Amino acid sequence: MKFKLALVCIFLLGTMKTIYSQKIQVGGEIRNRGELRNGFRKPLADSIDPLYVHNLRLKLYGSYTSEKFKAKVTLLDSKIFSSDHSVRTDNFFGIYEAWGEYFFNPQISVSAGRQILEYDDNRLFSAGAWSNTPNAHDLVKLKYNTEKVKVNVGGAWNNASVSLYNAAKSYESMFYGWGMYSFQNFNVSGIWVNEGIKNTLPGRGNKTSIYRNTLGGNIGMKNKNMPLSVYLTGYYQFGYDKADKKLDAFFLGLKNQYTFSDKIKASLGAEYLSGTSSKASGSSDHTFNRLYGAHHNYNGTMEYWIAVPTQGLVDIFAGADVKVLPKLSVNGSFHTFATAREIQNRNNKGIGSELDMQVDYKFSQSFSLQGGWSCYFKNKGTDILKKQTQTETRFPYWAYLMITYKPEFTIKTKNKQ
């Protein structure tokens, strides 16, 4: 039934060509990724063999654009195979995007449907491109865009129990406002997010929803005539967490990038995600929640701290990007991790470090190859947080190879008289 519905959506989108005679785009993505996991997300016990996992993600989309209207439908099929199973271990198929946008004028528009949200550096909202089942939200969004000022206001509701490819499954309602102002060499943005979470806790009386708020912004400085660029981020969270504890948390981030030449760039930065002390009362929560951002892009690609520890997280990192050839680039980064608050029964807050390496080769605009290798240097703090103090583990490393093909076809026609 879903497949038939998807075909109808694509067919209707295609017929718009004859009705409105504007612009039709049809494209897709075929992505194969093989991973060797020998301690991905947590150290692997000596008694367990490394695992090979193969991911296949297929996308098919069609979009229509005219002076007053824009629409897009994207289908997504995702499969995961592993070396210890002869059949699929995971399989999803559904409509990933389905939205329409109406332009009142070139600056103001409104869109409705299942949409991707991406803002700033994708810290709070992202499509989550690395994931096999990326994020989308069912919402209504009002946009105002000019060369210097951009404003988005949106509202989302999630009445279904669970909806595939929908980051909104973790909230009941969400309202947000985002704005950005660009001037000279600066970009300044601000965001506010209010999430209503269904209260499923017993004994809470008539309190049917719990509300969490995130407020903050970014300041970016970049000048093409200067080699140094700076990006500052700060967020504050308040309200209540999912356990109905009073929430009081924050995030601070700084990233500096220095461009030595067109081929070499270096970066240095730090992130602080507040945490809850082991001595804190059970009625408060000081651990920052990263919402629906691109978690794989931050705090190490081995994803050891994709779920922020209760004690919070400090990440000091440095990296370099080198363009070896016009189509070949190499980048590496090193992270050293610690908790923001003390770990119970341990004086040292350190929880290890990570080395990440990545190589990209772009054959063409639509065909690319990417490979990576990472390792994690664990310590006693890692063992405590991963609950492996009594477990002998292997040296953690992870490697992958990914091939991506993105064909795209565009049909442009004249306005119908």
Side-chain angles (χ1 to χ4, degrees), residues 33 35 40-41 122 126 128-131 290 293-306 335 354 356 358 370 374 398 400 402:
R33 184 173 72 223
E35 300 179 40
F40 181 72
R41 291 198 176 181
N122 295 337
S126 169
W130 174 265
S131 172
R290 293 183 290 190
H295 302 327
H296 181 80
N297 296 354
Y298 297 101
N299 312 127
T301 58
M302 289 186 74
E303 300 186 359
Y304 266 50
W305 315 114
I306 192 168
H335 301 255
E354 180 175 329
D356 299 321
Q358 182 179 305
Q370 184 181 97
S374 300
W398 167 72
Y400 75 93
M402 184 166 66

PDB file of all heavy atoms in Angstrom, residues 33 35 40-41 122 126 128-131 290 293-306 335 354 356 358 370 374 398 400 402:
ATOM      1  N   ARG A  33      27.483   1.531   2.330  1.00  0.00           N
ATOM      2  CA  ARG A  33      28.520   1.770   3.346  1.00  0.00           C
ATOM      3  C   ARG A  33      28.807   0.484   4.112  1.00  0.00           C
ATOM      4  O   ARG A  33      27.897  -0.130   4.684  1.00  0.00           O
ATOM      5  CB  ARG A  33      28.078   2.867   4.312  1.00  0.00           C
ATOM      6  CG  ARG A  33      29.160   3.214   5.330  1.00  0.00           C
ATOM      7  CD  ARG A  33      28.785   4.422   6.167  1.00  0.00           C
ATOM      8  NE  ARG A  33      27.729   4.144   7.125  1.00  0.00           N
ATOM      9  CZ  ARG A  33      26.704   4.953   7.372  1.00  0.00           C
ATOM     10  NH1 ARG A  33      26.580   6.076   6.691  1.00  0.00           N
ATOM     11  NH2 ARG A  33      25.799   4.636   8.268  1.00  0.00           N
ATOM     12  N   GLU A  35      31.000  -1.165   7.250  1.00  0.00           N
ATOM     13  CA  GLU A  35      31.670  -0.757   8.487  1.00  0.00           C
ATOM     14  C   GLU A  35      32.256  -1.967   9.207  1.00  0.00           C
ATOM     15  O   GLU A  35      31.612  -3.006   9.318  1.00  0.00           O
ATOM     16  CB  GLU A  35      30.678  -0.076   9.437  1.00  0.00           C
ATOM     17  CG  GLU A  35      30.016   1.168   8.884  1.00  0.00           C
ATOM     18  CD  GLU A  35      29.032   1.770   9.875  1.00  0.00           C
ATOM     19  OE1 GLU A  35      29.340   1.786  11.094  1.00  0.00           O
ATOM     20  OE2 GLU A  35      27.947   2.192   9.457  1.00  0.00           O
ATOM     21  N   PHE A  40      32.886   0.201  18.306  1.00  0.00           N
ATOM     22  CA  PHE A  40      32.086   1.369  17.936  1.00  0.00           C
ATOM     23  C   PHE A  40      31.077   1.654  19.054  1.00  0.00           C
ATOM     24  O   PHE A  40      30.372   0.759  19.511  1.00  0.00           O
ATOM     25  CB  PHE A  40      31.361   1.084  16.618  1.00  0.00           C
ATOM     26  CG  PHE A  40      30.520   2.216  16.108  1.00  0.00           C
ATOM     27  CD1 PHE A  40      31.111   3.353  15.584  1.00  0.00           C
ATOM     28  CD2 PHE A  40      29.134   2.147  16.149  1.00  0.00           C
ATOM     29  CE1 PHE A  40      30.344   4.403  15.095  1.00  0.00           C
ATOM     30  CE2 PHE A  40      28.354   3.188  15.664  1.00  0.00           C
ATOM     31  CZ  PHE A  40      28.968   4.314  15.139  1.00  0.00           C
ATOM     32  N   ARG A  41      31.059   2.880  19.533  1.00  0.00           N
ATOM     33  CA  ARG A  41      30.187   3.379  20.619  1.00  0.00           C
ATOM     34  C   ARG A  41      30.582   2.894  22.011  1.00  0.00           C
ATOM     35  O   ARG A  41      30.321   3.575  22.986  1.00  0.00           O
ATOM     36  CB  ARG A  41      28.712   3.057  20.350  1.00  0.00           C
ATOM     37  CG  ARG A  41      28.138   3.852  19.194  1.00  0.00           C
ATOM     38  CD  ARG A  41      26.616   3.855  19.209  1.00  0.00           C
ATOM     39  NE  ARG A  41      26.101   4.711  18.142  1.00  0.00           N
ATOM     40  CZ  ARG A  41      24.816   4.915  17.924  1.00  0.00           C
ATOM     41  NH1 ARG A  41      23.903   4.322  18.699  1.00  0.00           N
ATOM     42  NH2 ARG A  41      24.428   5.706  16.951  1.00  0.00           N
ATOM     43  N   ASN A 122      23.999  22.977  12.330  1.00  0.00           N
ATOM     44  CA  ASN A 122      23.270  21.704  12.512  1.00  0.00           C
ATOM     45  C   ASN A 122      23.413  21.138  13.924  1.00  0.00           C
ATOM     46  O   ASN A 122      23.293  19.927  14.134  1.00  0.00           O
ATOM     47  CB  ASN A 122      23.729  20.652  11.501  1.00  0.00           C
ATOM     48  CG  ASN A 122      23.403  21.042  10.078  1.00  0.00           C
ATOM     49  OD1 ASN A 122      22.506  21.846   9.834  1.00  0.00           O
ATOM     50  ND2 ASN A 122      24.135  20.497   9.134  1.00  0.00           N
ATOM     51  N   SER A 126      19.073  18.973  12.322  1.00  0.00           N
ATOM     52  CA  SER A 126      19.815  18.503  11.163  1.00  0.00           C
ATOM     53  C   SER A 126      19.050  17.370  10.501  1.00  0.00           C
ATOM     54  O   SER A 126      18.261  16.671  11.146  1.00  0.00           O
ATOM     55  CB  SER A 126      21.202  18.014  11.581  1.00  0.00           C
ATOM     56  OG  SER A 126      21.841  17.329  10.529  1.00  0.00           O
ATOM     57  N   GLY A 128      20.563  14.822   9.627  1.00  0.00           N
ATOM     58  CA  GLY A 128      21.246  13.617  10.081  1.00  0.00           C
ATOM     59  C   GLY A 128      21.645  12.745   8.906  1.00  0.00           C
ATOM     60  O   GLY A 128      21.315  11.561   8.851  1.00  0.00           O
ATOM     61  N   ALA A 129      22.379  13.327   7.951  1.00  0.00           N
ATOM     62  CA  ALA A 129      22.668  12.654   6.695  1.00  0.00           C
ATOM     63  C   ALA A 129      23.430  11.351   6.873  1.00  0.00           C
ATOM     64  O   ALA A 129      23.316  10.442   6.051  1.00  0.00           O
ATOM     65  CB  ALA A 129      23.455  13.593   5.780  1.00  0.00           C
ATOM     66  N   TRP A 130      24.231  11.231   7.932  1.00  0.00           N
ATOM     67  CA  TRP A 130      25.000  10.001   8.149  1.00  0.00           C
ATOM     68  C   TRP A 130      24.085   8.818   8.431  1.00  0.00           C
ATOM     69  O   TRP A 130      24.332   7.697   7.997  1.00  0.00           O
ATOM     70  CB  TRP A 130      25.978  10.201   9.306  1.00  0.00           C
ATOM     71  CG  TRP A 130      26.704   8.944   9.675  1.00  0.00           C
ATOM     72  CD1 TRP A 130      26.367   8.045  10.659  1.00  0.00           C
ATOM     73  CD2 TRP A 130      27.879   8.413   9.050  1.00  0.00           C
ATOM     74  NE1 TRP A 130      27.264   7.012  10.688  1.00  0.00           N
ATOM     75  CE2 TRP A 130      28.210   7.212   9.698  1.00  0.00           C
ATOM     76  CE3 TRP A 130      28.698   8.850   8.002  1.00  0.00           C
ATOM     77  CZ2 TRP A 130      29.312   6.430   9.355  1.00  0.00           C
ATOM     78  CZ3 TRP A 130      29.794   8.074   7.655  1.00  0.00           C
ATOM     79  CH2 TRP A 130      30.087   6.888   8.314  1.00  0.00           C
ATOM     80  N   SER A 131      23.014   9.054   9.143  1.00  0.00           N
ATOM     81  CA  SER A 131      22.108   7.984   9.561  1.00  0.00           C
ATOM     82  C   SER A 131      21.396   7.358   8.374  1.00  0.00           C
ATOM     83  O   SER A 131      21.143   8.004   7.363  1.00  0.00           O
ATOM     84  CB  SER A 131      21.069   8.537  10.539  1.00  0.00           C
ATOM     85  OG  SER A 131      20.080   7.581  10.821  1.00  0.00           O
ATOM     86  N   ARG A 290      20.981  17.557  23.279  1.00  0.00           N
ATOM     87  CA  ARG A 290      21.356  18.114  21.970  1.00  0.00           C
ATOM     88  C   ARG A 290      20.229  18.068  20.943  1.00  0.00           C
ATOM     89  O   ARG A 290      20.465  18.335  19.743  1.00  0.00           O
ATOM     90  CB  ARG A 290      22.587  17.382  21.441  1.00  0.00           C
ATOM     91  CG  ARG A 290      23.813  17.651  22.287  1.00  0.00           C
ATOM     92  CD  ARG A 290      25.041  16.986  21.726  1.00  0.00           C
ATOM     93  NE  ARG A 290      25.010  15.537  21.847  1.00  0.00           N
ATOM     94  CZ  ARG A 290      26.051  14.745  21.591  1.00  0.00           C
ATOM     95  NH1 ARG A 290      27.183  15.286  21.202  1.00  0.00           N
ATOM     96  NH2 ARG A 290      25.946  13.447  21.729  1.00  0.00           N
ATOM     97  N   GLY A 293      20.083  17.292  16.365  1.00  0.00           N
ATOM     98  CA  GLY A 293      21.206  17.734  15.554  1.00  0.00           C
ATOM     99  C   GLY A 293      21.975  16.597  14.907  1.00  0.00           C
ATOM    100  O   GLY A 293      21.617  15.417  14.996  1.00  0.00           O
ATOM    101  N   ALA A 294      23.079  16.982  14.239  1.00  0.00           N
ATOM    102  CA  ALA A 294      23.943  16.020  13.547  1.00  0.00           C
ATOM    103  C   ALA A 294      24.946  15.460  14.549  1.00  0.00           C
ATOM    104  O   ALA A 294      26.120  15.845  14.565  1.00  0.00           O
ATOM    105  CB  ALA A 294      24.654  16.697  12.379  1.00  0.00           C
ATOM    106  N   HIS A 295      24.505  14.521  15.370  1.00  0.00           N
ATOM    107  CA  HIS A 295      25.331  14.034  16.472  1.00  0.00           C
ATOM    108  C   HIS A 295      26.611  13.351  15.988  1.00  0.00           C
ATOM    109  O   HIS A 295      27.638  13.392  16.677  1.00  0.00           O
ATOM    110  CB  HIS A 295      24.529  13.063  17.334  1.00  0.00           C
ATOM    111  CG  HIS A 295      23.271  13.667  17.898  1.00  0.00           C
ATOM    112  ND1 HIS A 295      23.181  14.999  18.234  1.00  0.00           N
ATOM    113  CD2 HIS A 295      22.058  13.118  18.178  1.00  0.00           C
ATOM    114  CE1 HIS A 295      21.959  15.244  18.707  1.00  0.00           C
ATOM    115  NE2 HIS A 295      21.259  14.128  18.669  1.00  0.00           N
ATOM    116  N   HIS A 296      26.572  12.719  14.819  1.00  0.00           N
ATOM    117  CA  HIS A 296      27.752  12.026  14.317  1.00  0.00           C
ATOM    118  C   HIS A 296      28.877  13.005  13.980  1.00  0.00           C
ATOM    119  O   HIS A 296      30.055  12.626  13.981  1.00  0.00           O
ATOM    120  CB  HIS A 296      27.379  11.207  13.065  1.00  0.00           C
ATOM    121  CG  HIS A 296      28.523  10.443  12.485  1.00  0.00           C
ATOM    122  ND1 HIS A 296      28.958   9.229  13.007  1.00  0.00           N
ATOM    123  CD2 HIS A 296      29.348  10.707  11.434  1.00  0.00           C
ATOM    124  CE1 HIS A 296      29.974   8.792  12.300  1.00  0.00           C
ATOM    125  NE2 HIS A 296      30.230   9.664  11.335  1.00  0.00           N
ATOM    126  N   ASN A 297      28.527  14.245  13.687  1.00  0.00           N
ATOM    127  CA  ASN A 297      29.520  15.240  13.278  1.00  0.00           C
ATOM    128  C   ASN A 297      30.280  15.852  14.436  1.00  0.00           C
ATOM    129  O   ASN A 297      31.260  16.568  14.226  1.00  0.00           O
ATOM    130  CB  ASN A 297      28.844  16.366  12.492  1.00  0.00           C
ATOM    131  CG  ASN A 297      28.241  15.874  11.187  1.00  0.00           C
ATOM    132  OD1 ASN A 297      28.423  14.728  10.808  1.00  0.00           O
ATOM    133  ND2 ASN A 297      27.523  16.750  10.509  1.00  0.00           N
ATOM    134  N   TYR A 298      29.834  15.590  15.657  1.00  0.00           N
ATOM    135  CA  TYR A 298      30.436  16.229  16.826  1.00  0.00           C
ATOM    136  C   TYR A 298      30.897  15.185  17.840  1.00  0.00           C
ATOM    137  O   TYR A 298      30.339  14.094  17.932  1.00  0.00           O
ATOM    138  CB  TYR A 298      29.434  17.178  17.490  1.00  0.00           C
ATOM    139  CG  TYR A 298      29.022  18.325  16.598  1.00  0.00           C
ATOM    140  CD1 TYR A 298      27.804  18.303  15.931  1.00  0.00           C
ATOM    141  CD2 TYR A 298      29.852  19.418  16.412  1.00  0.00           C
ATOM    142  CE1 TYR A 298      27.428  19.348  15.098  1.00  0.00           C
ATOM    143  CE2 TYR A 298      29.489  20.470  15.587  1.00  0.00           C
ATOM    144  CZ  TYR A 298      28.271  20.432  14.934  1.00  0.00           C
ATOM    145  OH  TYR A 298      27.903  21.463  14.109  1.00  0.00           O
ATOM    146  N   ASN A 299      31.951  15.553  18.595  1.00  0.00           N
ATOM    147  CA  ASN A 299      32.430  14.732  19.708  1.00  0.00           C
ATOM    148  C   ASN A 299      32.892  13.353  19.283  1.00  0.00           C
ATOM    149  O   ASN A 299      32.696  12.370  20.001  1.00  0.00           O
ATOM    150  CB  ASN A 299      31.345  14.616  20.792  1.00  0.00           C
ATOM    151  CG  ASN A 299      30.725  15.950  21.156  1.00  0.00           C
ATOM    152  OD1 ASN A 299      29.513  16.126  21.138  1.00  0.00           O
ATOM    153  ND2 ASN A 299      31.560  16.948  21.455  1.00  0.00           N
ATOM    154  N   GLY A 300      33.500  13.271  18.103  1.00  0.00           N
ATOM    155  CA  GLY A 300      34.089  12.023  17.655  1.00  0.00           C
ATOM    156  C   GLY A 300      33.153  11.163  16.834  1.00  0.00           C
ATOM    157  O   GLY A 300      31.996  10.967  17.196  1.00  0.00           O
ATOM    158  N   THR A 301      33.665  10.628  15.718  1.00  0.00           N
ATOM    159  CA  THR A 301      32.814   9.838  14.826  1.00  0.00           C
ATOM    160  C   THR A 301      32.557   8.427  15.335  1.00  0.00           C
ATOM    161  O   THR A 301      31.717   7.717  14.787  1.00  0.00           O
ATOM    162  CB  THR A 301      33.439   9.752  13.416  1.00  0.00           C
ATOM    163  OG1 THR A 301      34.751   9.179  13.518  1.00  0.00           O
ATOM    164  CG2 THR A 301      33.540  11.130  12.782  1.00  0.00           C
ATOM    165  N   MET A 302      33.258   7.980  16.389  1.00  0.00           N
ATOM    166  CA  MET A 302      32.968   6.667  16.970  1.00  0.00           C
ATOM    167  C   MET A 302      31.729   6.700  17.864  1.00  0.00           C
ATOM    168  O   MET A 302      31.291   5.665  18.364  1.00  0.00           O
ATOM    169  CB  MET A 302      34.177   6.127  17.732  1.00  0.00           C
ATOM    170  CG  MET A 302      35.322   5.701  16.813  1.00  0.00           C
ATOM    171  SD  MET A 302      36.701   4.910  17.662  1.00  0.00           S
ATOM    172  CE  MET A 302      36.002   3.297  18.044  1.00  0.00           C
ATOM    173  N   GLU A 303      31.203   7.899  18.088  1.00  0.00           N
ATOM    174  CA  GLU A 303      29.917   8.101  18.766  1.00  0.00           C
ATOM    175  C   GLU A 303      29.900   7.548  20.194  1.00  0.00           C
ATOM    176  O   GLU A 303      28.880   7.065  20.672  1.00  0.00           O
ATOM    177  CB  GLU A 303      28.778   7.490  17.946  1.00  0.00           C
ATOM    178  CG  GLU A 303      28.636   8.097  16.563  1.00  0.00           C
ATOM    179  CD  GLU A 303      27.419   7.590  15.797  1.00  0.00           C
ATOM    180  OE1 GLU A 303      26.683   6.749  16.345  1.00  0.00           O
ATOM    181  OE2 GLU A 303      27.212   8.031  14.650  1.00  0.00           O
ATOM    182  N   TYR A 304      31.035   7.642  20.889  1.00  0.00           N
ATOM    183  CA  TYR A 304      31.074   7.172  22.282  1.00  0.00           C
ATOM    184  C   TYR A 304      30.152   8.005  23.180  1.00  0.00           C
ATOM    185  O   TYR A 304      29.573   7.495  24.133  1.00  0.00           O
ATOM    186  CB  TYR A 304      32.504   7.215  22.806  1.00  0.00           C
ATOM    187  CG  TYR A 304      33.216   5.889  22.651  1.00  0.00           C
ATOM    188  CD1 TYR A 304      33.201   5.224  21.426  1.00  0.00           C
ATOM    189  CD2 TYR A 304      33.872   5.286  23.717  1.00  0.00           C
ATOM    190  CE1 TYR A 304      33.832   4.013  21.269  1.00  0.00           C
ATOM    191  CE2 TYR A 304      34.502   4.067  23.575  1.00  0.00           C
ATOM    192  CZ  TYR A 304      34.481   3.424  22.342  1.00  0.00           C
ATOM    193  OH  TYR A 304      35.093   2.205  22.180  1.00  0.00           O
ATOM    194  N   TRP A 305      30.030   9.268  22.848  1.00  0.00           N
ATOM    195  CA  TRP A 305      29.235  10.154  23.709  1.00  0.00           C
ATOM    196  C   TRP A 305      28.081  10.767  22.927  1.00  0.00           C
ATOM    197  O   TRP A 305      27.721  11.909  23.134  1.00  0.00           O
ATOM    198  CB  TRP A 305      30.144  11.217  24.336  1.00  0.00           C
ATOM    199  CG  TRP A 305      31.400  10.607  24.862  1.00  0.00           C
ATOM    200  CD1 TRP A 305      32.672  10.809  24.422  1.00  0.00           C
ATOM    201  CD2 TRP A 305      31.510   9.636  25.917  1.00  0.00           C
ATOM    202  NE1 TRP A 305      33.564  10.049  25.122  1.00  0.00           N
ATOM    203  CE2 TRP A 305      32.869   9.303  26.053  1.00  0.00           C
ATOM    204  CE3 TRP A 305      30.575   9.017  26.753  1.00  0.00           C
ATOM    205  CZ2 TRP A 305      33.342   8.390  26.986  1.00  0.00           C
ATOM    206  CZ3 TRP A 305      31.034   8.090  27.682  1.00  0.00           C
ATOM    207  CH2 TRP A 305      32.394   7.796  27.789  1.00  0.00           C
ATOM    208  N   ILE A 306      27.497   9.960  22.019  1.00  0.00           N
ATOM    209  CA  ILE A 306      26.331  10.415  21.259  1.00  0.00           C
ATOM    210  C   ILE A 306      25.171  10.682  22.207  1.00  0.00           C
ATOM    211  O   ILE A 306      24.333  11.549  21.970  1.00  0.00           O
ATOM    212  CB  ILE A 306      25.948   9.382  20.175  1.00  0.00           C
ATOM    213  CG1 ILE A 306      24.930   9.986  19.210  1.00  0.00           C
ATOM    214  CG2 ILE A 306      25.471   8.076  20.773  1.00  0.00           C
ATOM    215  CD1 ILE A 306      24.711   9.156  17.962  1.00  0.00           C
ATOM    216  N   HIS A 335      40.364  14.358  19.544  1.00  0.00           N
ATOM    217  CA  HIS A 335      39.499  14.844  20.626  1.00  0.00           C
ATOM    218  C   HIS A 335      39.992  14.309  21.962  1.00  0.00           C
ATOM    219  O   HIS A 335      40.341  13.123  22.064  1.00  0.00           O
ATOM    220  CB  HIS A 335      38.054  14.359  20.440  1.00  0.00           C
ATOM    221  CG  HIS A 335      37.428  14.780  19.152  1.00  0.00           C
ATOM    222  ND1 HIS A 335      36.495  15.782  19.068  1.00  0.00           N
ATOM    223  CD2 HIS A 335      37.589  14.316  17.884  1.00  0.00           C
ATOM    224  CE1 HIS A 335      36.109  15.921  17.806  1.00  0.00           C
ATOM    225  NE2 HIS A 335      36.762  15.036  17.074  1.00  0.00           N
ATOM    226  N   GLU A 354      40.133  10.404  21.317  1.00  0.00           N
ATOM    227  CA  GLU A 354      39.800   9.742  20.048  1.00  0.00           C
ATOM    228  C   GLU A 354      40.541  10.380  18.888  1.00  0.00           C
ATOM    229  O   GLU A 354      40.693  11.605  18.819  1.00  0.00           O
ATOM    230  CB  GLU A 354      38.294   9.804  19.800  1.00  0.00           C
ATOM    231  CG  GLU A 354      37.841   9.145  18.503  1.00  0.00           C
ATOM    232  CD  GLU A 354      36.320   9.135  18.358  1.00  0.00           C
ATOM    233  OE1 GLU A 354      35.630   9.066  19.389  1.00  0.00           O
ATOM    234  OE2 GLU A 354      35.828   9.198  17.217  1.00  0.00           O
ATOM    235  N   ASP A 356      40.403  10.532  14.680  1.00  0.00           N
ATOM    236  CA  ASP A 356      39.549  10.286  13.510  1.00  0.00           C
ATOM    237  C   ASP A 356      40.287  10.683  12.240  1.00  0.00           C
ATOM    238  O   ASP A 356      40.847  11.782  12.157  1.00  0.00           O
ATOM    239  CB  ASP A 356      38.245  11.100  13.592  1.00  0.00           C
ATOM    240  CG  ASP A 356      37.413  10.749  14.814  1.00  0.00           C
ATOM    241  OD1 ASP A 356      37.350   9.569  15.163  1.00  0.00           O
ATOM    242  OD2 ASP A 356      36.840  11.678  15.420  1.00  0.00           O
ATOM    243  N   GLN A 358      39.812  10.668   7.800  1.00  0.00           N
ATOM    244  CA  GLN A 358      38.836  10.523   6.712  1.00  0.00           C
ATOM    245  C   GLN A 358      39.466  10.923   5.388  1.00  0.00           C
ATOM    246  O   GLN A 358      40.215  11.900   5.302  1.00  0.00           O
ATOM    247  CB  GLN A 358      37.612  11.398   6.983  1.00  0.00           C
ATOM    248  CG  GLN A 358      36.514  11.301   5.940  1.00  0.00           C
ATOM    249  CD  GLN A 358      35.325  12.169   6.282  1.00  0.00           C
ATOM    250  OE1 GLN A 358      34.745  12.064   7.362  1.00  0.00           O
ATOM    251  NE2 GLN A 358      34.954  13.047   5.364  1.00  0.00           N
ATOM    252  N   GLN A 370      34.240   7.605  -0.072  1.00  0.00           N
ATOM    253  CA  GLN A 370      34.722   8.109   1.215  1.00  0.00           C
ATOM    254  C   GLN A 370      35.121   6.935   2.106  1.00  0.00           C
ATOM    255  O   GLN A 370      34.440   5.909   2.154  1.00  0.00           O
ATOM    256  CB  GLN A 370      33.643   8.936   1.909  1.00  0.00           C
ATOM    257  CG  GLN A 370      34.078   9.578   3.213  1.00  0.00           C
ATOM    258  CD  GLN A 370      32.950  10.363   3.878  1.00  0.00           C
ATOM    259  OE1 GLN A 370      32.270   9.868   4.767  1.00  0.00           O
ATOM    260  NE2 GLN A 370      32.748  11.603   3.418  1.00  0.00           N
ATOM    261  N   SER A 374      39.018   5.246  12.701  1.00  0.00           N
ATOM    262  CA  SER A 374      39.050   5.927  13.996  1.00  0.00           C
ATOM    263  C   SER A 374      39.449   4.947  15.080  1.00  0.00           C
ATOM    264  O   SER A 374      39.192   3.738  14.974  1.00  0.00           O
ATOM    265  CB  SER A 374      37.671   6.512  14.347  1.00  0.00           C
ATOM    266  OG  SER A 374      37.249   7.442  13.375  1.00  0.00           O
ATOM    267  N   TRP A 398      37.420   1.547  14.591  1.00  0.00           N
ATOM    268  CA  TRP A 398      36.260   1.466  13.681  1.00  0.00           C
ATOM    269  C   TRP A 398      36.688   1.991  12.322  1.00  0.00           C
ATOM    270  O   TRP A 398      37.434   2.971  12.223  1.00  0.00           O
ATOM    271  CB  TRP A 398      35.124   2.319  14.250  1.00  0.00           C
ATOM    272  CG  TRP A 398      33.991   2.601  13.310  1.00  0.00           C
ATOM    273  CD1 TRP A 398      33.046   1.726  12.872  1.00  0.00           C
ATOM    274  CD2 TRP A 398      33.662   3.865  12.716  1.00  0.00           C
ATOM    275  NE1 TRP A 398      32.137   2.363  12.040  1.00  0.00           N
ATOM    276  CE2 TRP A 398      32.504   3.679  11.924  1.00  0.00           C
ATOM    277  CE3 TRP A 398      34.216   5.128  12.769  1.00  0.00           C
ATOM    278  CZ2 TRP A 398      31.913   4.699  11.197  1.00  0.00           C
ATOM    279  CZ3 TRP A 398      33.637   6.156  12.044  1.00  0.00           C
ATOM    280  CH2 TRP A 398      32.491   5.938  11.277  1.00  0.00           C
ATOM    281  N   TYR A 400      35.385   2.383   7.937  1.00  0.00           N
ATOM    282  CA  TYR A 400      34.266   2.288   6.996  1.00  0.00           C
ATOM    283  C   TYR A 400      34.709   2.689   5.603  1.00  0.00           C
ATOM    284  O   TYR A 400      35.703   3.394   5.404  1.00  0.00           O
ATOM    285  CB  TYR A 400      33.094   3.165   7.454  1.00  0.00           C
ATOM    286  CG  TYR A 400      33.308   4.644   7.231  1.00  0.00           C
ATOM    287  CD1 TYR A 400      32.866   5.277   6.064  1.00  0.00           C
ATOM    288  CD2 TYR A 400      33.947   5.417   8.192  1.00  0.00           C
ATOM    289  CE1 TYR A 400      33.062   6.638   5.868  1.00  0.00           C
ATOM    290  CE2 TYR A 400      34.151   6.772   8.003  1.00  0.00           C
ATOM    291  CZ  TYR A 400      33.705   7.377   6.837  1.00  0.00           C
ATOM    292  OH  TYR A 400      33.915   8.721   6.631  1.00  0.00           O
ATOM    293  N   MET A 402      32.520   4.041   2.025  1.00  0.00           N
ATOM    294  CA  MET A 402      31.188   4.438   1.569  1.00  0.00           C
ATOM    295  C   MET A 402      31.245   4.931   0.129  1.00  0.00           C
ATOM    296  O   MET A 402      32.076   5.769  -0.224  1.00  0.00           O
ATOM    297  CB  MET A 402      30.624   5.525   2.486  1.00  0.00           C
ATOM    298  CG  MET A 402      29.209   5.970   2.172  1.00  0.00           C
ATOM    299  SD  MET A 402      28.488   6.948   3.518  1.00  0.00           S
ATOM    300  CE  MET A 402      29.526   8.422   3.472  1.00  0.00           C
TER     301      MET A 402
END
